[in-house]
């Protein structure tokens, strides 16, 4: 049986939304299974073009920087205090401490905001794996200077890997081994001359895709010192497979 694995780009801007491009967020779907991957600023509005909060099977968050997680705050209000009627809290997978981080921001009195009424929180760890409907989600810890994870999503005979935010690292390359599509950040125009590297350049993204024998590369989270076309062109010099940009609103069929 062939899967119908799809990636829809809700937004790919960094570190704040652009006009007509929210921050990092993606909808991954296969049949009736739908997962919101990263909830960057502005992505909740775009998500609703495709699915309601109460139709999601899960939310997965790579790390707690605002351009990947801020719309969880508004999703909380939507889930509990508006027109959404949850039959159960939405499964939420994210780094350790995610529930307390949300509660700290949302609590306005001496009573802690009931985060767990909106989200069924599961903390990620290196090698975490869960079955969500028709999808298998596997997370690996990656190198971003804060707790951060990359994600592999598999559906029958198709696979998608999302880097989250990270420097090139063995964990990401291993996770992406043989994937049909690698969605990889390309934030940096150049590697840093000082300090720890925490992002890919377009060339790094291409090298990761090549080392992992990925079938296709989509560059995302392109920094503001690069244009999307520059990022695609630079990545294409180092990776022989198809290279595209995660344009907001685009949908990619996997495989």
């Amino acid at each position: 049986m062939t899967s119908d694995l799809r990636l829809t780009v809700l937004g790919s801007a960094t570190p704040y939304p652009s006009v007509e491009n929210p921050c990092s967020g993606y909808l991954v779907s296969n049949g009736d299974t739908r997962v919101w991957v990263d909830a960057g600023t502005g992505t909740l509005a775009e998500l609703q073009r495709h699915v309601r909060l109460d139709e999601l099977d899960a939310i997965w968050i790579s790390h707690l920087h605002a351009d990947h997680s801020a719309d969880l705050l508004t999703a909380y209000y939507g889930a509990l205090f508006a027109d959404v009627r949850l039959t159960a809290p939405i499964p939420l997978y994210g780094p350790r401490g995610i529930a307390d981080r949300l509660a700290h921001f949302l609590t306005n009195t001496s009573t802690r905001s009931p985060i767990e009424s909106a989200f069924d929180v599961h903390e990620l760890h290196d090698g975490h794996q869960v079955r969500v409907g028709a999808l298998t989600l596997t997370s690996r810890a990656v190198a971003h200077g804060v707790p951060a994870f990359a994600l592999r999503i598999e559906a029958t005979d198709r696979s998608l890997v999302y880097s989250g935010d990270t420097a090139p690292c063995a964990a990401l390359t291993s996770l992406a081994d043989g994937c049909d599509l690698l969605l990889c950040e390309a934030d940096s125009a150049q590697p840093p001359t000082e300090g720890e590297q925490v992002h890919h350049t377009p060339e790094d993204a291409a090298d990761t895709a090549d080392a992992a024998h990925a079938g296709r590369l989509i560059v995302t989270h392109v920094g503001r010192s690069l244009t999307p076309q520059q990022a695609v062109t630079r990545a294409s010099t180092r990776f022989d497979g198809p290279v595209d940009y995660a344009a907001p609103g685009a949908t990619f069929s996997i495989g």
Side-chain angles (χ1 to χ4, degrees):
M1 181 177 178
T2 301
S3 63
D4 183 31
L5 186 60
R6 294 178 181 272
L7 166 72
T8 298
V9 181
L10 306 176
S12 57
T14 178
Y16 61 94
S18 302
V19 175
E20 299 182 347
N21 189 9
C23 288
S24 292
Y26 313 91
L27 176 64
V28 178
S29 60
N30 185 61
D32 293 332
T33 303
R34 288 162 288 200
V35 180
W36 184 10
V37 175
D38 273 351
T41 315
T43 57
L44 177 56
E46 295 303 313
L47 179 74
Q48 292 171 86
R49 296 183 187 274
H50 309 280
V51 62
R52 289 167 52 96
L53 282 171
D54 52 3
E55 295 173 328
L56 287 171
D57 293 278
I59 304 170
W60 184 95
I61 301 296
S62 63
H63 64 294
L64 296 180
H65 285 156
D67 60 336
H68 294 257
S69 65
D71 266 19
L72 288 177
L73 302 173
T74 47
Y76 165 82
Y77 286 113
L80 295 186
F81 306 117
D83 56 339
V84 175
R85 296 292 179 265
L86 297 180
T87 58
I90 305 166
L92 171 61
Y93 300 91
R96 183 177 179 181
I98 187 171
D100 287 342
R101 283 282 293 274
L102 293 173
H104 182 76
F105 186 92
L106 291 164
T107 298
N108 295 301
T109 69
S110 59
T111 302
R112 182 182 185 275
S113 288
I115 300 302
E116 289 78 10
S117 296
F119 305 119
D120 178 17
V121 179
H122 304 266
E123 293 185 340
L124 296 174
H125 57 79
D126 189 32
H128 181 279
Q129 189 170 88
V130 65
R131 184 77 176 176
V132 176
L135 302 173
T136 300
L137 279 59
T138 304
S139 303
R140 290 294 311 272
V142 291
H144 191 49
V146 299
F149 295 87
L151 174 66
R152 185 180 183 111
I153 299 179
E154 296 173 296
T156 313
D157 57 345
R158 300 288 185 262
S159 58
L160 156 70
V161 171
Y162 169 48
S163 66
D165 278 7
T166 179
C169 62
L172 175 59
T173 302
S174 175
L175 184 70
D177 185 44
C179 68
D180 292 296
L181 186 150
L182 173 61
L183 176 67
C184 190
E185 64 114 299
D187 181 272
S188 299
Q190 302 295 334
T193 56
E194 297 181 1
E196 179 184 8
Q197 183 173 358
V198 294
H199 288 290
H200 280 66
T201 65
E203 289 82 3
D204 290 332
D207 290 345
T208 295
D210 183 65
H213 308 290
R216 184 178 186 182
L217 172 64
I218 308 292
V219 292
T220 191
H221 199 272
V222 173
R224 289 172 180 264
S225 59
L226 291 168
T227 67
Q229 187 55 56
Q230 286 171 336
V232 168
T233 298
R234 287 173 53 172
S236 296
T237 66
R238 302 269 277 266
F239 179 64
D240 290 336
V243 181
D244 292 291
Y245 166 63
T251 294
F252 300 93
S253 294
I254 312 303

